[in-house]
Amino acid sequence: MHQYPQRPRPDDQPSYQEYPPQGHGGHQQHQYPQHQHQQQHPSYETPQAGRSRRRIGISAVVALALLLGGGGFAAWKLDWFSGNGEAVTFGKNPSPAADKPEPGTPAAEVKPSGDPDVLMPTGPKSDFKQTTKLDDGTIIAKTRLAGAKSGFEGDVWVWAPKEYDDPKYAKSGFPVLIALPGGNGFPANYWSDRSLGLQKAISDGVRAGTSLPFIVIMPVLNPDAKYYYDGSDIPGQAKMGTWIAEDVPAFTKANFRTYKSRDGWAFMGSSSGAFVGMKTVLQHPEKFKAVIASGGEIVPDSPLWKGHQAEMDANNPEKLAQKLIDTQGPEVYINFQVGTKESGKERMVKFQQQYGKGPVKTTIRDIQNGEHNGWHYVRGMKEGSLEWISKVLKAPEPAAG
């Protein structure tokens, strides 16, 4: 039995650099990857180099410096910030009145597409404010969520692909990708910054037929920047495990067309966020099916676990995976990503060797010349991980005709 040091989570972003503006892409009929329930994915093995763990938080000071430089002119020219702070509504093509339930019938029972797995927004609707606009006109917006079950209140950013407002998908559910940051994970979620290119990678993948049009949900990961909470309900602390596993999905179902089954729900995350995503999938396989875990940790290590060994064990992915194997539980899919210029792959390989069996399906993707940062993890997603997770989850179904 290994004794893992209780250490603070690393900050993990290199110095800020701008992604060049991208042109607008045309809309076309999409061919989504086939849904495969039992596919065994190959591992990718290459030598490891040293890890570079630098800050991933993008400060307003650095962003302002970019704005005042050459990239700033392009940003204003492309109208990136136009409308920031204004109210945003997702889903501009509501179902016809005939699809609405009779008085007294729960909204969750509506089956507009004929697929009983589709869940129409249950409400109440949240108030969203635009934080940025992408080149294709889609919006990243923010709201404040008071978690009904956790009691924690924090910010959540959301993004819906162009297909979400396409009339032919107005009666379809959409798969959800909950994106978790590393570093402090508070007060912001860096995946909501367009410079990392996560949302654009998904949109480009949709056009190429290699990605599903995911709804991306980006909550804060921690209640403060002082400690790391392992995305768990540590006794005496904010219930961040309940926030991530219960409140954030309930909020998503309240505001978006989703799926009732776990086939429409997955995580992605980097570093500490990768740990939380993997842990949550293993802990709640009845709710979530897959995770892309980039440069992540394997075991809980918050100093706040001191004196609570049993509770820490209940949030340990190794023990959770073994329990799933022993009970022959639902199949879950874990796709590790690791840069060849960072360390930590040995932990992933060890986990795969010991627990990547039975219902626990694992694969390791190497990112050539990749370091411990969000830009390189998005590149890995574009190179194959988005296609991998798209084959595992459920695609939206357009209306006939």
Side-chain angles (χ1 to χ4, degrees):
M1 180 66 182
H2 296 281
Q3 294 296 321
Y4 296 95
Q6 291 187 340
R7 58 192 182 279
R9 293 281 174 173
D11 294 327
D12 53 359
Q13 185 76 351
S15 57
Y16 195 98
Q17 54 183 308
E18 182 193 5
Y19 265 43
Q22 303 293 329
H24 295 266
H27 182 75
Q28 60 185 20
Q29 185 67 35
H30 309 293
Q31 296 295 321
Y32 300 123
Q34 281 192 331
H35 182 203
Q36 298 178 9
H37 286 277
Q38 309 213 8
Q39 180 174 351
Q40 188 71 18
H41 302 284
S43 297
Y44 301 82
E45 306 291 342
T46 62
Q48 273 295 299
R51 165 171 276 181
S52 172
R53 298 188 130 187
R54 290 168 285 179
R55 177 168 298 275
I56 195 160
I58 301 172
S59 70
V61 174
V62 179
L64 180 60
L66 280 174
L67 181 60
L68 295 176
F73 175 77
W76 286 110
K77 184 177 180 181
L78 288 174
D79 212 21
W80 288 358
F81 309 113
S82 175
N84 281 6
E86 295 182 359
V88 174
T89 299
F90 293 95
K92 300 179 179 62
N93 294 290
S95 300
D99 292 324
K100 295 181 179 179
E102 295 296 325
T105 302
E109 295 303 314
V110 179
K111 303 172 184 177
S113 70
D115 180 356
D117 195 26
V118 172
L119 180 64
M120 299 299 283
T122 60
K125 291 184 178 180
S126 301
D127 293 325
F128 294 104
K129 301 294 184 182
Q130 177 180 316
T131 60
T132 192
K133 182 188 296 183
L134 273 64
D135 297 342
D136 64 359
T138 56
I139 299 297
I140 298 174
K142 181 176 76 170
T143 191
R144 189 77 174 171
L145 172 62
K149 292 190 176 181
S150 68
F152 172 71
E153 182 175 328
D155 289 336
V156 181
W157 290 259
V158 301
W159 175 80
K162 292 181 74 69
E163 291 71 25
Y164 190 80
D165 283 330
D166 190 324
K168 65 174 172 285
Y169 292 102
K171 299 181 182 182
S172 175
F174 276 71
V176 176
L177 198 59
I178 301 175
L180 303 178
N184 291 334
F186 178 89
N189 182 319
Y190 53 66
W191 294 117
S192 67
D193 192 294
R194 60 168 285 153
S195 72
L196 292 179
L198 172 61
Q199 295 80 11
K200 184 179 185 301
I202 293 172
S203 295
D204 289 348
V206 171
R207 289 195 294 272
T210 57
S211 176
L212 298 182
F214 295 99
I215 296 169
V216 181
I217 307 296
M218 299 158 277
V220 293
L221 186 59
N222 294 308
D224 56 54
K226 184 177 181 180
Y227 294 110
Y228 184 74
Y229 292 71
D230 277 336
S232 304
D233 291 356
I234 301 176
Q237 307 297 331
K239 295 183 177 180
M240 301 314 292
T242 299
W243 162 259
I244 294 294
E246 300 284 346
D247 291 332
V248 170
F251 152 82
T252 307
K253 293 174 182 177
N255 287 281
F256 294 93
R257 303 189 304 275
T258 58
Y259 290 111
K260 299 175 186 177
S261 76
R262 73 192 194 107
D263 287 343
W265 294 85
F267 284 89
M268 65 141 290
S270 55
S271 195
S272 50
F275 164 84
V276 175
M278 179 175 69
K279 187 267 294 187
T280 306
V281 169
L282 290 166
Q283 199 169 39
H284 300 282
E286 77 286 358
K287 296 180 180 179
F288 309 103
K289 191 172 185 181
V291 60
I292 299 174
S294 302
E297 304 296 331
I298 303 298
V299 296
D301 61 5
S302 171
L304 299 172
W305 286 116
K306 186 176 182 180
H308 303 289
Q309 184 66 44
E311 291 86 352
M312 184 173 76
D313 288 345
N315 288 273
N316 187 330
E318 294 178 340
K319 296 182 181 296
L320 292 167
Q322 188 60 58
K323 180 180 178 181
L324 204 56
I325 294 167
D326 292 343
T327 58
Q328 300 181 359
E331 290 183 344
V332 295
Y333 296 81
I334 301 170
N335 180 56
F336 292 111
Q337 288 196 140
V338 62
T340 59
K341 290 187 176 181
E342 63 174 322
S343 63
K345 182 178 178 179
E346 66 281 356
R347 296 192 295 270
M348 301 175 184
V349 171
K350 181 179 178 181
F351 183 92
Q352 184 181 55
Q353 291 172 344
Q354 294 186 353
Y355 306 105
K357 54 188 174 183
V360 183
K361 311 297 184 182
T362 61
T363 186
I364 301 173
R365 173 173 291 278
D366 286 332
I367 304 171
Q368 296 301 318
N369 297 313
E371 298 180 358
H372 195 73
N373 68 67
W375 291 292
H376 292 176
Y377 296 144
V378 170
R379 174 159 63 83
M381 293 176 71
K382 291 190 291 186
E383 289 173 351
S385 294
L386 269 176
E387 184 171 12
W388 171 89
I389 203 167
S390 295
K391 291 178 178 178
V392 173
L393 297 186
K394 188 171 183 175
E397 295 181 8

